[in-house]
Amino acid sequence: QVQLLESGGGLVQPGGSLRLSCVASETILSSDPMSWYRQAPGKERKLVARIRSGRDPEYSDSVMGRFTISRDNAKKTVYLQMNTLKPDDTAVYYCHVRENGIHYWGKGTLVTVSS
């Protein structure tokens, strides 16, 4: 099994930036996708960004141009750089990995964007 641990969440003012990190307990192949999802209270969990070898990263329309996903396979870590944050970005952010058709989720880290 793969365990995922997110960190980097917190309170930030609108227009600010945060960098989320997710560390995997096991080696993740570069061909296996790693993703960030988020879920706001009372809403469904949605894909934010996804990265895998051989193709360009994918982003939801709401974060395009503001967020950047990256990964360091040697450190077994995926990152999400979030810039120009908006109140609508407030949510619990979850790390996700799909390995051989098996889905793994982290417990999430809370991001609150407010004045």
Side-chain angles (χ1 to χ4, degrees), residues 44-58:
E44 71 274 17
R45 188 174 299 184
K46 295 184 177 180
L47 175 67
V48 177
R50 176 177 291 144
I51 185 170
R52 53 185 163 183
S53 64
R55 63 197 69 195
D56 295 331
E58 303 172 21

Side-chain angles (χ1 to χ4, degrees), residues 37-111:
Y37 287 74
R38 68 186 183 186
Q39 185 171 22
K43 298 183 179 180
E44 71 274 17
R45 188 174 299 184
K46 295 184 177 180
L47 175 67
V48 177
R50 176 177 291 144
I51 185 170
R52 53 185 163 183
S53 64
R55 63 197 69 195
D56 295 331
E58 303 172 21
Y59 299 95
S60 67
D61 291 339
S62 61
V63 307
M64 182 72 70
R66 299 187 298 119
F67 290 12
T68 302
I69 188 171
S70 62
R71 62 195 290 177
D72 186 332
N73 292 324
K75 295 182 178 180
K76 299 182 290 185
T77 302
V78 62
Y79 305 94
L80 185 67
Q81 178 66 47
M82 305 184 295
N83 298 326
T84 319
L85 284 162
K86 305 175 181 179
D88 286 346
D89 295 320
T90 296
V92 177
Y93 285 71
Y94 297 91
C95 182
H96 172 267
V97 172
R98 190 191 75 212
E99 186 180 47
N100 292 324
I102 301 175
H103 296 257
Y104 300 94
W105 294 91
K107 294 186 179 297
T109 183
L110 177 62
V111 173

Side-chain angles (χ1 to χ4, degrees), residues 22-43:
C22 171
V23 181
S25 62
E26 309 292 336
T27 299
I28 307 299
L29 297 177
S30 61
S31 58
D32 290 329
M34 301 185 73
S35 305
W36 287 98
Y37 287 74
R38 68 186 183 186
Q39 185 171 22
K43 298 183 179 180

